[in-house]
Amino acid sequence: MSGLNEEPMKPDSEQNDSLLSLIALVTKLVEQNNVLIQQSSEKEKIILRLLDQHDEILNELVEQQDDDEQTGSTFLDG
């Protein structure tokens, strides 16, 4: 026999059981994948929020530095 499937055919009940098991496994895999996608999305939102906060802090520091340069810093004044 030179076909790809050289195993003898399983009875219909065994094939049905195998298919049901396969469907259950694929369903579980899809559910786990959906959880991972959701977690990844939540992490992305956190990262974007942190980047926004970082930008705000940098902008405040730049504004503060500009203010210090315009008014003259009193940091070293004694």
Side-chain angles (χ1 to χ4, degrees), residues 16-33:
N16 192 33
D17 290 345
S18 295
L19 286 175
L20 291 175
S21 295
L22 181 60
I23 289 170
L25 288 172
V26 169
T27 300
K28 187 173 183 176
L29 180 65
V30 169
E31 289 171 352
Q32 290 175 346
N33 192 40

Side-chain angles (χ1 to χ4, degrees), residues 46-61:
I46 290 170
I47 290 170
L48 290 174
R49 189 173 70 237
L50 290 172
L51 284 172
D52 285 343
Q53 290 174 356
H54 183 262
D55 283 346
E56 287 176 19
I57 291 170
L58 282 177
N59 286 335
E60 288 175 15
L61 287 173

